[in-house]
Amino acid sequence: MTFTQPSIPTCLAHLILAGVTGWSLKHLPICHDPSHSTTSSDSIPLMLMLLVFLLGHSLLGIFRHSHPDPHKNLRKIYDLSVLLAMVLPLPLLNTQLYLKYQVGDGSHLTPYSYLLISTSLPFLVGCLYSELSQRHKSQYVTTVVALVNLTVLLWISFCNENFWGIGLAVSYCMKHFTLPRLADRYNVPFVDLHTYGLGFFEIFAINVVIDADLYRTELVAQ
C-alpha cells in the first residue's frame, strides 16, 4: 500500500468552497408563495441543484485530498466531479435566468436544449480526451462553449439590466483565461485555483438570481 501526503491547501480550498456553498444555499431565493410566481417555469430549481452538487463536490474533494491512500475509484469519481464542476455552473445559471426572465415565446424546449448541449458536449469531450497529453484538444471545445455561455449571459443580463450578471460574465471570462496561466507560472495546482474560483462564482451567481427574482416580483406587482 502506497501512502501519499495529504494536500492541505487543496483540502482548505474545498473547505472554503463548502462554506461559501452553505452561505449561498442560505441566501438562494426560493419562492414558496404561488402568488409570486408568474409561471411554472421555475418548477425545476436549477440553481438549487447546482449548489447541492457543488456542496457534494467540495465534501468529496476534502475526503479525496485528505486521504493518505485514496482508492482508484475515488480518484476517478473526483476527476469526473471536477469536470462537471467546470461545465455545469454557467449553463445552469443561464437556463435559470432564461426561465425567470421569460425570454422568447415561453417554450421550455429552447433553454433545456441549450442546457443539454452546453453541458454534455464539453463533458463528453473532456472524458474522451482525459489523458494529460490530449487535454489541449478538450480545452478548445471547452473554450468555445464557454464563450457561447458568456455571450448568452451577457445578452440576458444586458436586456434585463442585471448588472451582477454582467459582472459575473467579466469575472468568469478572466478566470477562464487566466487561471491556467497563473497555475503554470506560479506552480500552483489548477484544481486549487479553480475551486476558489467556484466560490467567487457562487457569490456572484446568488446575487444574479436575487436580482432576477426581484424582477419577477416587480413583474407580478404590475
Side-chain angles (χ1 to χ4, degrees):
M1 181 179 295
T2 302
F3 289 91
T4 58
Q5 185 70 23
S7 177
I8 296 179
T10 306
C11 288
L12 178 62
H14 285 83
L15 182 62
I16 292 175
L17 177 61
V20 174
T21 305
W23 174 88
S24 301
L25 284 168
K26 180 180 178 181
H27 290 83
L28 179 67
I30 302 178
C31 181
H32 300 286
D33 186 357
S35 64
H36 288 173
S37 178
T38 59
T39 179
S40 61
S41 61
D42 287 336
S43 57
I44 301 180
L46 298 176
M47 279 304 299
L48 178 60
M49 293 168 57
L50 173 62
L51 292 176
V52 171
F53 163 73
L54 289 178
L55 181 60
H57 169 72
S58 59
L59 296 177
L60 179 64
I62 293 172
F63 184 69
R64 157 67 177 87
H65 291 283
S66 62
H67 200 287
D69 185 38
H71 193 272
K72 181 180 179 180
N73 291 335
L74 175 61
R75 294 196 297 268
K76 287 184 178 180
I77 293 173
Y78 175 74
D79 290 342
L80 289 175
S81 182
V82 170
L83 183 57
L84 284 172
M86 294 179 65
V87 304
L88 282 179
L90 205 52
L92 282 172
L93 174 62
N94 285 346
T95 305
Q96 189 80 85
L97 292 178
Y98 188 102
L99 296 173
K100 277 185 175 293
Y101 285 123
Q102 302 178 32
V103 180
D105 57 1
S107 172
H108 290 187
L109 179 61
T110 300
Y112 288 127
S113 298
Y114 154 78
L115 176 61
L116 178 63
I117 295 173
S118 59
T119 54
S120 61
L121 180 60
F123 178 75
L124 292 176
V125 173
C127 292
L128 183 62
Y129 298 107
S130 59
E131 297 296 330
L132 185 61
S133 60
Q134 297 180 321
R135 286 182 183 175
H136 65 281
K137 298 179 181 179
S138 65
Q139 289 174 355
Y140 293 137
V141 176
T142 302
T143 298
V144 171
V145 174
L147 291 175
V148 172
N149 291 331
L150 287 170
T151 302
V152 172
L153 177 59
L154 282 172
W155 171 59
I156 296 177
S157 300
F158 270 119
C159 290
N160 297 280
E161 298 183 355
N162 192 321
F163 299 109
W164 278 102
I166 297 172
L168 175 59
V170 173
S171 65
Y172 191 96
C173 183
M174 293 176 60
K175 176 179 75 72
H176 181 82
F177 289 103
T178 59
L179 286 191
R181 291 170 174 79
L182 289 175
D184 291 339
R185 181 170 183 176
Y186 297 103
N187 196 26
V188 179
F190 174 78
V191 67
D192 291 8
L193 297 179
H194 179 257
T195 303
Y196 285 118
L198 285 174
F200 283 104
F201 173 88
E202 288 183 356
I203 294 173
F204 272 91
I206 287 300
N207 285 282
V208 172
V209 174
I210 290 175
D211 196 309
D213 206 58
L214 291 175
Y215 167 86
R216 287 283 301 276
T217 303
E218 294 173 357
L219 188 64
V220 172
Q222 294 176 359

